[in-house]
Amino acid sequence: MGRRSRGRRLQQQQQQRPGSAEDGGKRNGAGWEGGYPEIVKENKLFEHYYQELKIVPEGEWDQFMGALREPLPATLRITGYKSHAKEILHCLKNKYFKELEDLEVDGQKVEVPQPLSWYPEELAWHTNLSRKILRKSPQLEKFHQFLVSETESGNISRQEAVSMIPPLLLNAHPHHKILDMCAAPGSKTTQLIEMLHADMNVPFPEGFVIANDVDNKRCYLLVHQAKRLGSPCIMVVNHDASCIPRLQVDVNGRKEVLFYDRILCDVPCSGDGTMRKNIDVWKKWSTLNSLQLHGLQLRIATRGAEQLVEGGRMVYSTCSLNPIEDEAVIASLLEKSEGALELADVSSELPGLKWVPGLSQWKVMTKDGQWFASWDDVPHNRHTQIRPTMFPPKDPEKLQAMHLERCLRILPHHQNTGGFFVAVLVKNSSMPWNKRPPKLQGEPAELRAPVPPSPAEPMAGCTSNTSELESKLAPGISDTGAVERAENVDDSGSKRDGVCGPPPSKKMKLFGFKEDPFVFIPEDDPLFPPIQKFYALDPSFPKANLLTRTTEGKKRQLYMVSKELRNVLLNNSERMKVINTGIKVWCRNNSGEEFDCAFRLAQEGIYTLYPFINSRIITVSIEDVQVLLTQENPFFRKLSSEAYSQVKDMAKGSVVLKYEPDPTKPDTLQCPIVLCGWRGKASVRTFVPRNERLHYLRMMGLEVPVGKKREGAAAVPGAASPAEPEDGPGVGSPMEPEDRPGAASPVEPEDGPGAGSPAEQEDGAGAEQEAGPNASSGGDPAEAGLPR
């Protein structure tokens, strides 16, 4: 009876709901709300607060509030990392955007997307289409599928316009060491990675990005975002940003403190600039959030300034409009830096961007509406909630010298965006507390150099490691000249060479997953010579940068990092918790020894690896690429005569398929393509993830329906579909970690052994069943029940 009565109640609710079958399924004027009551976009306290602070220019208040009540436009960014960016832009402008002309959805005319005027090279676009309409409108289905597929491939990022600003103002170059202090979910991090790889002809830039987040689960989302770009120069770590450890690197045999050239400090905030997309903020907003977050924001910014190199640049940003989280943090940081930091004038760096200058005067308001103009006015019982750093400096000369007007506040009504705040800081000298003499044995606590306190230390010893390093600075030595003596800090006596394990379990008890170690391949490892011979690797190949994620048993996956990140890993394994680093370049075959090499190439790292490979390369035409991407196992004869002559005498095994554009044929694809493949007895196949396959086909002007299988795939028992590409003989799909038993997390693409990933099962029975009955014996796609 209980089940029936629940069913009747549910039926009655559906009949009473507006927009149901009773009114012919018509949607109300609110549009796409699904019949739920609309949240009232009113908050009198919010309006009173910001009108009093005068953050909006005179006469613009109504436009400001009107913009906040409108839904946020959808924006997308074409990644400049790959050389395919121009091709994607060409495809968007000449195909998808043209199809949107004169289109109406629910009586609303669809505006053709327009480029953001201030973003370089027309690589960022905005449209009046909300995400909800994009998902649900049948007329926009093809455009939505394109966005989803290209986002998964890492070629497009759907990112809010204002969040693109901080990485641009960071002005990063390929040789810069970059720290992203509060990185998740990772859209800004991907921008920084793109900047490192500005020159695609350089597989290993000198710089790197260390992306940090305090939330262990969000770190895996960060890994997922970063993995799409396939860079060997990214490391994801898990620390409280306010006490992130000071790292060290080996420089000519001595340990030196690592200082960063660029630091992005996009701190946690109350988020009242996001009201257009997070409409809950309307009813939940109060000044209490800002008052509670101010201290943490200041500690994070201070820690960032400490780790910045002299002459380096740090960008502080929030998606809040509140000066307590914005100018108050900057003013306090500048005051305590005693001239070591200054605000940079970036007014001309993004032409076309509209902004208003930072405030130089503001007041503090409690959640119940009580105002305080200075710290002297605050009663004693409020001292725990309101702090002196929340007020502007009293001294007018000191205040003027700070140039707070150089801060940028972006208001929603100026360019139809969210609200945002950015400040760019440059470091002229070391922070004052880093110049003080080191503490002596038994020195009283009150005489020691202050260390910013942390609200919560996720790792025991986090602050002690920092103070231990800083205490070894000689009197008067600037922090950029700090040198760690190897004998004083060498804590690797009990470790094996090249093994970078996680911190001791005692330090990790507040964290989530325990990560596998990072083990660099020894110089004399017998595993490497067959690989070097099979692929005729160039002598310049940096084999010392190869690593695995296991210390025991067969090495199933080989990853690669840049030389600089290898240095960081080897010297800091006890200081930091690394979630992920490196790019997968080789995977073990079940029967690889039969093909002279136990390892096949991985598509994820092929653009990094390709410059060093001198053998197993097949040059293909644009027609060959189309055949390889649309047919499951094309015979050699289906390829062009040039490709056929290269492949027919080649030994079985992993191959590189390279397409070079023909500049004399401008109508054809004008970007190079490198694919991983397998040369069987009589056929060739590609090992390319589904979304990447669709990407290449779109760039060639072909539109493949989402559900369509590659030619010949449907008739093949046990063959992988395009959505789940069989990624090597006897190996399961790399695209489906979340669908496999024991998978760690749907957003955790790390597939090193022990991480609960496909690598654990690659050589097991489950993998054999997926790849076909004969996969384990022959390893040839043509033999594994696939067409010859």
Side-chain angles (χ1 to χ4, degrees):
M1 284 296 290
R3 193 183 306 159
R4 288 178 184 172
S5 62
R6 280 198 303 273
R8 280 197 297 270
R9 265 202 314 273
L10 185 62
Q11 196 172 6
Q12 288 168 1
Q13 288 169 0
Q14 288 174 340
Q15 287 172 353
Q16 293 166 4
R17 184 177 293 172
S20 65
E22 284 183 7
D23 60 2
K26 292 179 183 176
R27 299 191 183 272
N28 56 27
W32 305 99
E33 293 299 325
Y36 293 103
E38 190 175 353
I39 290 178
V40 179
K41 296 177 180 178
E42 294 285 347
N43 189 309
K44 295 299 179 187
L45 192 63
F46 172 88
E47 294 192 42
H48 169 64
Y49 182 69
Y50 283 120
Q51 278 183 313
E52 185 72 23
L53 291 179
K54 296 182 171 57
I55 67 161
V56 179
E58 198 170 336
E60 296 182 19
W61 182 259
D62 290 341
Q63 297 100 295
F64 169 72
M65 291 303 298
L68 281 178
R69 293 186 178 104
E70 290 293 320
L72 191 68
T75 49
L76 59 91
R77 181 173 58 81
I78 301 166
T79 63
Y81 165 49
K82 294 179 180 174
S83 56
H84 304 155
K86 287 183 181 177
E87 290 294 325
I88 297 170
L89 180 59
H90 182 266
C91 184
L92 270 172
K93 289 168 76 172
N94 294 286
K95 183 177 182 184
Y96 292 98
F97 291 168
K98 280 193 174 179
E99 291 175 3
L100 298 179
E101 291 176 5
D102 305 320
L103 189 65
E104 284 193 10
V105 176
D106 276 6
Q108 180 187 10
K109 189 178 186 306
V110 174
E111 294 176 11
V112 177
Q114 297 296 321
L116 296 178
S117 59
W118 45 267
Y119 201 95
E121 300 180 43
E122 287 193 343
L123 291 177
W125 294 70
H126 69 105
T127 171
N128 68 337
L129 296 170
S130 69
R131 287 190 172 205
K132 199 173 290 186
I133 292 176
L134 269 174
R135 282 197 299 266
K136 294 186 177 181
S137 170
Q139 302 103 304
L140 299 169
E141 184 181 4
K142 192 185 289 186
F143 183 46
H144 183 245
Q145 286 174 358
F146 168 81
L147 292 179
V148 170
S149 179
E150 293 297 324
T151 299
E152 282 301 311
S153 302
N155 300 307
I156 277 179
S157 176
R158 285 190 277 179
Q159 179 181 351
E160 192 178 342
V162 287
S163 84
M164 303 175 194
I165 297 170
L168 292 177
L169 291 177
L170 208 56
N171 194 25
H173 295 287
H175 63 278
H176 283 152
K177 302 174 184 68
I178 306 169
L179 173 64
D180 191 348
M181 299 189 76
C182 309
S187 54
K188 298 180 187 71
T189 309
T190 56
Q191 268 182 279
L192 296 174
I193 297 170
E194 292 162 25
M195 292 173 183
L196 282 184
H197 292 272
D199 184 356
M200 280 296 293
N201 296 317
V202 180
F204 294 102
E206 288 180 32
F208 55 77
V209 176
I210 294 180
N212 173 70
D213 202 85
V214 69
D215 189 315
N216 184 259
K217 290 181 181 177
R218 280 165 63 89
C219 281
Y220 290 102
L221 181 59
L222 184 54
V223 169
H224 177 67
Q225 288 274 61
K227 282 286 181 183
R228 296 183 313 169
L229 290 175
S231 170
C233 305
I234 170 74
M235 179 189 291
V236 176
V237 298
N238 184 196
H239 290 278
D240 177 351
S242 65
C243 67
I244 190 168
R246 179 166 291 204
L247 305 182
Q248 49 186 328
V249 287
D250 189 287
V251 180
N252 299 323
R254 64 180 186 176
K255 300 284 180 71
E256 291 193 5
V257 175
L258 171 63
F259 290 94
Y260 301 94
D261 302 294
R262 298 287 187 268
I263 293 180
L264 179 56
C265 195
D266 186 52
V267 295
C269 65
S270 61
D272 59 15
T274 68
M275 288 175 129
R276 299 181 70 176
K277 64 175 182 179
N278 298 324
I279 52 177
D280 278 358
V281 177
W282 282 99
K283 58 181 181 181
K284 293 178 180 177
W285 186 91
S286 90
T287 56
L288 184 61
N289 289 338
S290 299
L291 298 176
Q292 291 174 337
L293 284 166
H294 170 87
L296 174 64
Q297 292 163 340
L298 181 55
R299 288 194 296 275
I300 292 174
T302 303
R303 191 67 186 139
E306 287 175 345
Q307 302 214 15
L308 190 64
V309 75
E310 288 181 29
R313 179 179 277 209
M314 182 173 90
V315 171
Y316 175 89
S317 62
T318 74
C319 47
S320 168
L321 300 171
N322 199 327
I324 305 303
E325 302 177 66
D326 299 340
E327 286 93 344
V329 172
I330 296 299
S332 179
L333 183 60
L334 289 171
E335 190 167 17
K336 70 158 88 173
S337 78
E338 298 176 9
L341 298 173
E342 70 169 330
L343 275 169
D345 183 358
V346 292
S347 55
S348 61
E349 291 194 15
L350 290 179
L353 179 67
K354 293 180 181 176
W355 50 276
V356 294
L359 303 175
S360 56
Q361 292 295 333
W362 60 89
K363 296 183 287 185
V364 177
M365 187 179 83
T366 62
K367 66 174 182 178
D368 50 9
Q370 187 178 359
W371 288 96
F372 298 104
S374 71
W375 171 246
D376 298 335
D377 301 336
V378 181
H380 189 73
N381 63 347
R382 296 276 192 182
H383 281 190
T384 53
Q385 185 187 54
I386 298 174
R387 304 300 303 150
T389 54
M390 296 177 182
F391 296 92
K394 287 183 178 179
D395 187 343
E397 287 185 12
K398 188 183 286 186
L399 182 62
Q400 189 177 359
M402 287 181 177
H403 294 292
L404 291 177
E405 72 280 358
R406 292 179 179 175
C407 300
L408 278 58
R409 181 175 274 104
I410 289 90
L411 299 177
H413 63 292
H414 283 163
Q415 289 180 303
N416 199 11
T417 63
F420 210 71
F421 175 87
V422 196
V424 181
L425 295 155
V426 174
K427 188 172 182 179
N428 297 319
S429 61
S430 53
M431 302 300 277
W433 52 89
N434 290 126
K435 296 176 181 176
R436 292 171 187 163
K439 65 179 180 184
L440 303 173
Q441 199 71 24
E443 183 182 357
E446 61 270 14
L447 297 179
R448 295 174 189 166
V451 176
S454 168
E457 293 182 11
M459 289 183 62
C462 175
T463 307
S464 64
N465 277 339
T466 302
S467 55
E468 176 194 338
L469 279 165
E470 292 177 0
S471 69
K472 292 178 181 172
L473 304 179
I477 291 183
S478 68
D479 44 21
T480 47
V483 176
E484 300 273 352
R485 295 185 183 275
E487 60 270 21
N488 288 344
V489 293
D490 189 9
D491 49 9
S492 58
S494 60
K495 293 194 301 177
R496 283 179 286 171
D497 288 343
V499 179
C500 307
S505 56
K506 182 175 68 175
K507 295 183 181 179
M508 293 174 51
K509 61 186 178 184
L510 297 180
F511 278 105
F513 305 106
K514 182 170 181 176
E515 291 299 319
D516 294 311
F518 297 84
V519 186
F520 286 95
I521 305 294
E523 280 285 324
D524 56 351
D525 196 313
L527 171 145
F528 186 70
I531 297 175
Q532 190 168 26
K533 182 180 176 184
F534 189 71
Y535 297 104
L537 295 179
D538 194 85
S540 64
F541 178 75
K543 63 181 179 180
N545 300 351
L546 282 175
L547 60 86
T548 64
R549 297 298 302 271
T550 180
T551 53
E552 300 169 357
K554 277 189 174 182
K555 299 175 178 69
R556 293 172 176 167
Q557 317 274 358
L558 297 184
Y559 302 86
M560 176 158 267
V561 295
S562 66
K563 179 180 68 175
E564 289 75 18
L565 273 189
R566 180 181 188 272
N567 193 345
V568 173
L569 267 174
L570 286 174
N571 289 287
N572 299 280
S573 61
E574 298 298 320
R575 281 187 183 81
M576 61 180 183
K577 183 182 179 188
V578 181
I579 299 295
N580 195 282
T581 191
I583 179 174
K584 183 165 64 177
V585 287
W586 279 293
C587 308
R588 183 181 286 276
N589 296 325
N590 276 359
S591 307
E593 287 78 3
E594 296 180 19
F595 310 113
D596 301 325
C597 180
F599 288 86
R600 64 176 177 82
L601 299 163
Q603 182 67 28
E604 181 185 316
I606 191 60
Y607 283 93
T608 298
L609 205 54
Y610 173 74
F612 301 100
I613 298 174
N614 293 314
S615 179
R616 312 288 302 170
I617 299 172
I618 302 169
T619 305
V620 292
S621 65
I622 193 72
E623 293 77 19
D624 292 332
V625 175
Q626 187 173 326
V627 168
L628 289 162
L629 294 178
T630 55
Q631 299 184 26
E632 190 70 32
N633 287 281
F635 298 115
F636 299 157
R637 290 288 182 190
K638 289 194 175 182
L639 302 177
S640 64
S641 56
E642 292 84 358
Y644 174 76
S645 63
Q646 297 171 69
V647 75
K648 66 183 177 64
D649 298 324
M650 197 175 278
K652 286 196 296 181
S654 190
V655 293
V656 178
L657 302 157
K658 176 68 187 291
Y659 162 73
E660 282 288 354
D662 185 351
T664 62
K665 299 178 181 177
D667 294 336
T668 61
L669 191 65
Q670 289 298 302
C671 60
I673 295 177
V674 184
L675 306 174
C676 290
W678 185 267
R679 194 273 192 205
K681 276 189 177 177
S683 64
V684 176
R685 70 165 298 161
T686 54
F687 296 146
V688 182
R690 171 180 172 273
N691 285 316
E692 206 165 328
R693 183 190 312 280
L694 293 176
H695 161 70
Y696 290 130
L697 290 172
R698 282 197 195 96
M699 295 306 99
M700 291 186 285
L702 297 174
E703 192 67 47
V704 181
V706 169
K708 186 176 177 181
K709 294 178 183 291
R710 282 192 292 173
E711 191 179 312
V716 183
S721 73
E724 298 172 352
E726 179 188 307
D727 204 18
V731 182
S733 163
M735 298 295 292
E736 47 178 12
E738 61 271 23
D739 297 329
R740 304 290 285 273
S745 163
V747 296
E748 182 183 346
E750 175 52 59
D751 38 9
S757 65
E760 289 181 347
Q761 301 170 358
E762 274 185 331
D763 297 329
E768 287 182 21
Q769 289 168 9
E770 254 185 42
N774 300 319
S776 61
S777 59
D780 176 19
E783 291 180 329
L786 301 175
R788 290 180 175 275

